[in-house]
Amino acid sequence: MDKISRSPAMTDVARLAGVSHQTVSRVLNDHPNVKEQTRIRVRAAIAELGYRPNRAARALVTGRSQLIGVVARNSTLYGPATMLSEFEQAAADAGFAVSVGSVRELDRSSMGAVVERHLDQRVAGLVVIANTASAVEALAEIPEDLPVVFIDGDPASGRPGVTVDQVAGARAATRHLLDSGHETVWHVSGPTDWFDSAGRIQGWRQTLEEAGREVPPLLSADWSAAEGYRTGQMLARMPEVTAIFTANDHLALGILRALSERGRRVPHDVALVGFDDVPEAAYFIPPLTTVRQAFGDVARAALGLLLGQMGDEAGTARQIVVPPQLVIRESAPSPAR
Amino acid sequence: MDKISRSPAMTDVARLAGVSHQTVSRVLNDHPNVKEQTRIRVRAAIAELGYRPNRAARALVTGRSQLIGVVARNSTLYGPATMLSEFEQAAADAGFAVSVGSVRELDRSSMGAVVERHLDQRVAGLVVIANTASAVEALAEIPEDLPVVFIDGDPASGRPGVTVDQVAGARAATRHLLDSGHETVWHVSGPTDWFDSAGRIQGWRQTLEEAGREVPPLLSADWSAAEGYRTGQMLARMPEVTAIFTANDHLALGILRALSERGRRVPHDVALVGFDDVPEAAYFIPPLTTVRQAFGDVARAALGLLLGQMGDEAGTARQIVVPPQLVIRESAPSPAR
DNA sequence: AAACCTGATGTTATCGATAACATTTCGGCA
DNA sequence: TGCCGAAATGTTATCGATAACATCAGGTTT
């Protein structure tokens, strides 16, 4: 690398400012015990040379980069996209870059490979969106001293993590439909190996049982409108089905279409509650009653927990549970309307 | 850092295998001129020690990390989320990690800050999703020797980039509606300072003018279902409006709701074409005719272009234009149905 | 047999930053 | 004025990898 075209390093700044390279480092890292006059001189030299720190050099010495690794399943859904976006913003505000590693399947091998890549980069911490038990298994290889936070992991685990209270969300949705006068509530779930799905199923089932209502057979699906349409075509054929709670808003959209095709009016004939509150939910026909997950809050809480681990190991091995919120719109209006 | 807990380095592998550290490097980087027997010995030592390469060390020496920086506006929309996801997958397959930097606004200051962060990391290349002219301005500070690819940039610029042919997509949508017997076509655009919006407006306007049809006033919006609903409330009040082309599917969803509220049947009274083909579009009521953008293709083409710049500077200063595809569904059926 | 070339491997230097330890300077107190 | 302690700054070492250059061994050709 030719001397003329080499980027200026700290030693160049030091020479120009007439100090040691260590003092330049002290100025850049806001060390105490540096005279203000010295700081000014160093900063002027930095500006004059257009010096840019090399994070790789710092990472090499400290053993930790200024990167946070995210491990997530490849998804274009609103929830994951929102969390990633909010997380990146919050991390940037805290001085970290975010490196994303995604997997096509939540299996041990795929996730293990992503974790390896992050470890090679000597990430300062990891955030793992671990929706299933098999995803969690993959993480056995993470060094014990590396800060890790789980999002949407197993609520019953002892690991540091942030989850939305899926059971409470499902209870609110189901309770709302029962309070509106429905005999029982049908549920279309997401993939049943996902912790989120399990929590929603549990909340739905508990609420029905506690109310002494019949628990209808579960319709299991994935997260797509296509699967909502498929299950909706079955539900629309059953006259006794007057209330449906779906595991997400896209499932609800598919069901809306199936009901429409069979002349089942919403909410007149069938009331419908979704889950997530994607921005479009308010513009479905009719606007969707749904359970809002505060994805942004989840992301920011996860970062807080991770930074806590990085700074002070005590008291951060905990789970933060973010409350969901029932948002009532026309697809399942309030009782006594 | 205590000698007992220090991760094994190349020198440790070398000692165990009885070779120099340089030979270990050669084995790991698939250099020619290493005996197979030596390779086997080194690999066994690597496995025994659980050696993990330190990417920071490599980045320091080479001046380039194995990271690709992405600069994008903070968005949870399907298009950007898909492109990011596909890009990350393709980059990982090529041996790169992806560091995401997002901005709340497409302005010079925000984008400049994100670029700075990437440059500090000594990224190997940049991918910039630069939807507006002001976003492009922010990138004047990028060193000339750093590989850069633009996505959704200015189609008229000479910079390496990948875009979808917005004009062609809009032409296809508008032509489809005219061919279905509509006198003219109304257009609800996205933000007009976006290149994508401008291309769609241009394609719509051109097609109408060439057909000798009246060009109705433009309704300008953002990308949300809420704005679709707002403009839809106006359009639903005009009996002469029989055909609408929207800048994206979410706008179309909002319009569907507004039309429904005023008893305007789709497609009987008003035909509707969206843009994007989000997965849910097929499950709107009715299923949406739309223009599909092959977001995955865009992402993979962008990576190809970037890798080309990294490997061989010649012949890669070009624009790849990905064709869109009209997807006909019930909201605007084919003519002669 | 000697010289040359190529394959295989090793030694030395370097990247740019922080850690660790050392030295100097300054201010306050006796 | 001298001593001590703290502030301020400097020197040396290190991180773990690749680049650059050097050396050795074996085979082929003259």
Side-chain angles (χ1 to χ4, degrees):
Chain A
M1 199 173 285
D2 182 78
K3 192 175 275 271
I4 289 179
S5 62
R6 187 181 56 87
S7 300
M10 228 174 248
T11 47
D12 302 305
V13 176
R15 199 170 313 147
L16 184 62
V19 297
S20 71
H21 68 273
Q22 182 67 64
T23 297
V24 175
S25 180
R26 289 187 181 114
V27 171
L28 281 170
N29 291 302
D30 289 316
H31 269 247
N33 301 334
V34 182
K35 279 179 182 161
E36 190 57 31
Q37 275 228 347
T38 306
R39 286 189 195 273
I40 287 165
R41 203 159 76 241
V42 169
R43 289 204 175 105
I46 285 166
E48 178 171 336
L49 288 175
Y51 164 79
R52 170 184 308 290
N54 186 334
R55 303 298 182 195
R58 183 189 177 121
L60 183 55
V61 174
T62 60
R64 284 278 185 258
S65 66
Q66 279 154 293
L67 278 173
I68 295 178
V70 173
V71 186
R73 180 172 164 272
N74 184 5
S75 177
T76 57
L77 294 170
Y78 174 75
T82 305
M83 279 194 285
L84 180 60
S85 184
E86 293 289 333
F87 186 83
E88 192 277 324
Q89 292 275 353
D93 291 344
F96 290 92
V98 171
S99 176
V100 180
S102 60
V103 298
R104 292 186 175 91
E105 303 295 337
L106 287 170
D107 63 73
R108 182 172 188 139
S109 169
S110 304
M111 298 200 82
V114 169
V115 170
E116 290 283 326
R117 283 207 296 279
H118 286 317
L119 295 180
D120 286 355
Q121 295 279 353
R122 303 307 195 262
V123 291
L126 275 181
V127 171
V128 185
I129 306 185
N131 307 96
T132 65
S134 62
V136 175
E137 279 168 30
L139 309 175
E141 318 286 347
I142 301 184
E144 293 202 348
D145 65 338
L146 183 65
V148 184
V149 167
F150 292 83
I151 291 181
D152 289 346
D154 183 0
S157 87
R159 295 180 157 103
V162 185
T163 59
V164 174
D165 191 340
Q166 302 295 325
V167 174
R171 295 181 69 100
T174 309
R175 172 48 55 197
H176 177 75
L177 290 166
L178 293 183
D179 288 351
S180 300
H182 298 281
E183 276 291 316
T184 192
V185 180
W186 291 69
H187 180 50
V188 178
S189 77
T192 49
D193 60 330
W194 284 44
F195 297 125
D196 279 2
S197 299
R200 289 168 212 180
I201 292 166
Q202 182 183 338
W204 163 71
R205 198 184 293 273
Q206 278 175 5
T207 308
L208 291 184
E209 284 168 354
E210 286 164 13
R213 306 298 174 92
E214 179 201 2
V215 181
L218 179 70
L219 290 95
S220 151
D222 64 19
W223 302 110
S224 68
E227 281 283 281
Y229 182 62
R230 179 185 64 84
T231 53
Q233 285 178 306
M234 288 185 268
L235 293 167
R237 284 168 160 80
M238 309 179 204
E240 70 270 30
V241 174
T242 66
I244 304 173
F245 159 53
T246 64
N248 81 356
D249 293 348
H250 289 159
L251 287 169
L253 184 68
I255 285 172
L256 281 173
R257 182 176 160 213
L259 293 173
S260 171
E261 285 181 353
R262 291 197 67 93
R264 302 291 302 274
R265 292 163 300 171
V266 178
H268 190 266
D269 302 329
V270 187
L272 181 62
V273 181
F275 210 104
D276 281 346
D277 195 26
V278 297
E280 294 75 54
Y283 301 94
F284 290 178
I285 304 166
L288 189 68
T289 295
T290 182
V291 179
R292 174 178 295 153
Q293 302 202 60
F295 296 114
D297 292 350
V298 171
R300 287 183 293 271
L303 184 70
L305 211 42
L306 195 63
L307 294 180
Q309 276 189 53
M310 288 180 195
D312 163 14
E313 300 290 342
T316 54
R318 59 187 244 260
Q319 289 240 359
I320 297 177
V321 180
V322 176
Q325 180 190 355
L326 186 66
V327 179
I328 296 169
R329 294 193 186 103
E330 290 172 33
S331 69
S334 291
R337 266 189 81 121
Chain B
M1 198 170 286
D2 181 80
K3 193 174 275 275
I4 291 180
S5 63
R6 188 181 57 87
S7 301
M10 228 174 247
T11 47
D12 302 305
V13 174
R15 201 169 307 136
L16 184 62
V19 297
S20 72
H21 69 274
Q22 182 66 67
T23 297
V24 175
S25 181
R26 287 186 183 115
V27 171
L28 280 168
N29 291 299
D30 289 317
H31 270 247
N33 300 337
V34 181
K35 279 178 178 159
E36 191 56 33
Q37 274 228 349
T38 306
R39 283 186 197 275
I40 287 164
R41 205 159 75 240
V42 170
R43 290 204 175 105
I46 285 165
E48 177 170 340
L49 288 174
Y51 164 78
R52 170 183 308 289
N54 187 333
R55 303 297 181 197
R58 182 190 178 123
L60 183 55
V61 173
T62 60
R64 284 277 185 259
S65 66
Q66 280 154 293
L67 278 174
I68 295 177
V70 174
V71 186
R73 180 171 162 271
N74 184 4
S75 176
T76 57
L77 295 170
Y78 174 74
T82 305
M83 279 193 285
L84 179 60
S85 184
E86 294 289 332
F87 187 83
E88 192 276 324
Q89 293 275 355
D93 291 345
F96 290 90
V98 171
S99 176
V100 181
S102 61
V103 297
R104 293 187 175 89
E105 304 294 337
L106 288 168
D107 63 73
R108 181 172 188 140
S109 169
S110 306
M111 299 199 80
V114 170
V115 170
E116 290 284 324
R117 284 205 297 276
H118 285 317
L119 295 180
D120 286 355
Q121 296 278 354
R122 304 302 195 266
V123 291
L126 276 179
V127 171
V128 185
I129 306 184
N131 307 99
T132 65
S134 63
V136 175
E137 280 168 31
L139 310 174
E141 318 286 347
I142 301 185
E144 292 201 351
D145 65 339
L146 182 66
V148 184
V149 168
F150 292 83
I151 290 181
D152 287 346
D154 182 359
S157 87
R159 296 180 157 100
V162 186
T163 60
V164 174
D165 190 341
Q166 303 295 327
V167 175
R171 294 182 69 97
T174 308
R175 170 50 55 197
H176 176 74
L177 290 166
L178 292 183
D179 287 350
S180 300
H182 299 280
E183 277 291 318
T184 190
V185 179
W186 291 70
H187 180 49
V188 179
S189 77
T192 49
D193 59 329
W194 284 44
F195 298 123
D196 280 1
S197 299
R200 290 169 210 179
I201 291 166
Q202 183 184 337
W204 162 72
R205 199 183 294 273
Q206 278 177 4
T207 308
L208 289 183
E209 284 167 353
E210 286 165 14
R213 305 299 175 90
E214 178 200 0
V215 181
L218 179 70
L219 291 94
S220 150
D222 63 19
W223 302 110
S224 68
E227 279 283 281
Y229 183 61
R230 177 185 65 83
T231 52
Q233 287 177 307
M234 289 185 269
L235 293 168
R237 284 169 163 79
M238 311 178 203
E240 70 269 29
V241 174
T242 66
I244 303 173
F245 159 53
T246 63
N248 78 0
D249 294 347
H250 291 160
L251 287 169
L253 185 68
I255 285 170
L256 280 173
R257 182 175 162 214
L259 293 174
S260 171
E261 285 180 355
R262 292 195 68 91
R264 301 289 303 272
R265 292 163 302 173
V266 176
H268 190 267
D269 300 329
V270 186
L272 181 62
V273 181
F275 209 103
D276 281 343
D277 195 25
V278 299
E280 295 77 54
Y283 300 95
F284 290 179
I285 304 166
L288 189 68
T289 294
T290 182
V291 179
R292 175 177 296 153
Q293 301 203 62
F295 297 114
D297 292 350
V298 170
R300 287 184 291 274
L303 183 70
L305 212 42
L306 195 63
L307 294 180
Q309 277 189 54
M310 287 180 195
D312 163 12
E313 301 289 341
T316 54
R318 59 188 242 260
Q319 289 240 359
I320 297 177
V321 179
V322 176
Q325 180 190 357
L326 186 66
V327 178
I328 296 169
R329 295 193 182 105
E330 289 172 36
S331 70
S334 290
R337 266 188 84 118

